[in-house]
Protein backbone atom coordinates (compact mmCIF):
# COMPACT_ATOMS: atom_id res chain seq x y z
CA UNK A 1 0.00 0.00 0.00
CA UNK A 2 2.85 2.33 0.88
CA UNK A 3 4.48 1.64 -2.52
CA UNK A 4 1.19 2.47 -4.29
CA UNK A 5 0.97 5.78 -2.40
CA UNK A 6 4.59 6.62 -3.33
CA UNK A 7 3.91 5.89 -7.03
CA UNK A 8 0.70 7.98 -6.92
CA UNK A 9 2.49 10.85 -5.21
CA UNK A 10 5.36 10.67 -7.74
CA UNK A 11 2.93 10.79 -10.67
CA UNK A 12 1.12 13.75 -9.11
CA UNK A 13 4.37 15.60 -8.45
CA UNK A 14 5.68 14.94 -11.98
CA UNK A 15 2.36 16.09 -13.51
CA UNK A 16 2.51 19.27 -11.44
CA UNK A 17 6.03 19.99 -12.67
CA UNK A 18 4.97 19.54 -16.29
CA UNK A 19 2.13 22.00 -15.87
CA UNK A 20 4.21 24.58 -14.02
CA UNK A 21 7.07 24.39 -16.57
CA UNK A 22 4.78 24.87 -19.53
CA UNK A 23 5.81 27.94 -21.54
CA UNK A 24 3.02 30.26 -22.49
CA UNK A 25 3.35 30.08 -26.29
CA UNK A 26 0.16 32.04 -26.82
CA UNK A 27 0.37 35.81 -26.95
CA UNK A 28 -2.31 38.43 -27.30
CA UNK A 29 -2.95 39.68 -30.81
CA UNK A 30 -2.36 43.43 -30.78
CA UNK A 31 -3.38 44.24 -34.33
CA UNK A 32 -4.32 42.96 -37.77
CA UNK A 33 -2.85 44.49 -40.93
CA UNK A 34 -2.54 43.80 -44.63
CA UNK A 35 0.50 41.90 -45.82
CA UNK A 36 1.47 41.80 -49.44
CA UNK A 37 1.36 38.52 -51.31
CA UNK A 38 4.81 37.99 -52.82
CA UNK A 39 3.91 35.12 -55.13
CA UNK A 40 1.09 32.77 -56.08
CA UNK A 41 1.23 29.13 -57.14
CA UNK A 42 -1.61 27.66 -59.19
CA UNK A 43 -0.91 24.06 -60.21
CA UNK A 44 -3.53 23.77 -62.98
CA UNK A 45 -4.60 26.75 -65.06
CA UNK A 46 -7.44 24.62 -66.48
CA UNK A 47 -9.93 22.64 -64.38
CA UNK A 48 -13.45 21.19 -64.38
CA UNK A 49 -16.58 22.69 -62.84
CA UNK A 50 -17.05 21.59 -59.19
CA UNK A 51 -13.45 20.33 -58.95
CA UNK A 52 -11.34 21.65 -56.08
CA UNK A 53 -7.93 23.22 -56.50
CA UNK A 54 -5.64 24.69 -53.86
CA UNK A 55 -4.16 28.07 -54.71
CA UNK A 56 -1.08 28.79 -52.60
CA UNK A 57 0.08 32.26 -51.65
CA UNK A 58 3.43 33.24 -50.14
CA UNK A 59 4.15 36.26 -47.95
CA UNK A 60 7.27 37.44 -46.10
CA UNK A 61 6.91 38.26 -42.40
CA UNK A 62 9.57 40.38 -40.60
CA UNK A 63 9.45 38.52 -37.26
CA UNK A 64 8.05 35.50 -35.45
CA UNK A 65 5.51 37.83 -33.77
CA UNK A 66 3.66 38.09 -37.07
CA UNK A 67 1.80 35.41 -38.96
CA UNK A 68 -1.09 34.67 -41.28
CA UNK A 69 -4.49 35.80 -40.01
CA UNK A 70 -6.83 35.34 -42.99
CA UNK A 71 -7.89 36.39 -46.45
CA UNK A 72 -10.29 38.99 -47.72
CA UNK A 73 -11.72 37.07 -50.70
CA UNK A 74 -14.07 39.26 -52.73
CA UNK A 75 -16.30 38.17 -55.61
CA UNK A 76 -16.19 41.24 -57.87
CA UNK A 77 -18.48 39.61 -60.40
CA UNK A 78 -19.21 36.06 -61.51
CA UNK A 79 -15.70 35.42 -62.81
CA UNK A 80 -13.40 37.89 -61.02
CA UNK A 81 -11.93 37.60 -57.54
CA UNK A 82 -9.66 39.88 -55.51
CA UNK A 83 -7.64 38.41 -52.66
CA UNK A 84 -5.96 40.38 -49.89
CA UNK A 85 -3.95 38.66 -47.17
CA UNK A 86 -3.92 39.81 -43.54
CA UNK A 87 -1.38 39.20 -40.79
CA UNK A 88 -1.66 39.31 -37.03
CA UNK A 89 0.88 41.04 -34.79
CA UNK A 90 1.31 39.73 -31.22
CA UNK A 91 2.75 41.31 -28.09
CA UNK A 92 5.16 38.52 -27.10
CA UNK A 93 8.95 38.36 -27.24
CA UNK A 94 9.95 37.64 -30.83
CA UNK A 95 12.80 36.43 -32.91
CA UNK A 96 13.54 39.08 -35.51
CA UNK A 97 14.29 38.03 -39.05
CA UNK A 98 12.29 37.42 -42.19
CA UNK A 99 10.48 34.18 -42.83
CA UNK A 100 8.17 33.15 -45.65
CA UNK A 101 4.73 31.84 -44.82
CA UNK A 102 2.62 29.79 -47.23
CA UNK A 103 -1.17 29.65 -47.10
CA UNK A 104 -3.89 28.44 -49.41
CA UNK A 105 -7.34 29.06 -50.79
CA UNK A 106 -9.43 26.15 -51.99
CA UNK A 107 -11.13 27.15 -55.24
CA UNK A 108 -14.21 25.20 -56.38
CA UNK A 109 -15.85 26.90 -59.37
CA UNK A 110 -19.60 26.51 -59.82
CA UNK A 111 -19.78 27.54 -63.47
CA UNK A 112 -17.73 27.46 -66.66
CA UNK A 113 -15.65 30.43 -67.77
CA UNK A 114 -12.29 32.14 -67.41
CA UNK A 115 -11.78 33.23 -63.80
CA UNK A 116 -9.45 36.13 -63.06
CA UNK A 117 -7.78 36.35 -59.67
CA UNK A 118 -6.05 39.50 -58.44
CA UNK A 119 -3.79 39.08 -55.40
CA UNK A 120 -2.75 42.22 -53.51
CA UNK A 121 1.01 42.80 -53.86
CA UNK A 122 1.30 46.12 -51.99
CA UNK A 123 0.23 49.66 -52.89
CA UNK A 124 -1.74 49.61 -56.13
CA UNK A 125 -0.01 46.45 -57.38
CA UNK A 126 -1.72 43.15 -58.03
CA UNK A 127 -0.58 39.71 -59.15
CA UNK A 128 -3.08 38.54 -61.79
CA UNK A 129 -3.73 34.86 -62.46
CA UNK A 130 -6.39 33.18 -64.61
CA UNK A 131 -7.98 29.74 -64.44
CA UNK A 132 -10.10 28.36 -67.29
CA UNK A 133 -13.01 26.26 -66.06
CA UNK A 134 -14.47 23.78 -68.55
Amino acid sequence: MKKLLNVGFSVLLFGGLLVSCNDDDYHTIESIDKIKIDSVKIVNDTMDVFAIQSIKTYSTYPSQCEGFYGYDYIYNNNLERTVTSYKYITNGPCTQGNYVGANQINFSPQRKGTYTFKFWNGGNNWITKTIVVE
Side-chain angles (χ1 to χ4, degrees):
M1 183 69 167
K2 187 175 183 180
K3 187 173 185 173
L4 183 61
L5 285 174
N6 283 341
V7 169
F9 180 72
S10 296
V11 168
L12 185 63
L13 181 62
F14 182 69
L17 286 173
L18 284 177
V19 171
S20 67
C21 293
N22 185 15
D23 289 332
D24 186 12
D25 290 339
Y26 299 98
H27 304 285
T28 303
I29 293 176
E30 289 185 345
S31 64
I32 306 296
D33 199 6
K34 287 182 181 181
I35 186 161
K36 72 178 191 158
I37 296 171
D38 298 322
S39 63
V40 178
K41 182 178 181 184
I42 296 176
V43 176
N44 299 312
D45 59 359
T46 302
M47 61 187 289
D48 294 327
V49 175
F50 303 115
I52 298 172
Q53 178 175 191
S54 295
I55 300 171
K56 290 192 177 183
T57 66
Y58 300 88
S59 297
T60 303
Y61 300 89
S63 79
Q64 296 295 325
C65 276
E66 299 180 15
F68 178 74
Y69 183 77
Y71 289 112
D72 191 4
Y73 184 90
I74 299 174
Y75 295 72
N76 293 330
N77 61 40
N78 288 334
L79 301 175
E80 186 177 293
R81 311 286 190 263
T82 57
V83 180
T84 304
S85 185
Y86 287 85
K87 66 179 179 177
Y88 64 82
I89 302 168
T90 64
N91 64 352
C94 302
T95 303
Q96 296 300 311
N98 292 342
Y99 77 95
V100 175
N103 297 287
Q104 73 180 30
I105 298 166
N106 291 325
F107 176 56
S108 180
Q110 305 298 304
R111 60 187 293 198
K112 293 180 181 183
T114 301
Y115 288 77
T116 302
F117 290 84
K118 294 182 178 182
F119 298 90
W120 187 71
N121 184 243
N124 292 324
N125 301 316
W126 298 86
I127 298 170
T128 302
K129 300 283 187 178
T130 57
I131 298 176
V132 176
V133 177
E134 300 173 335

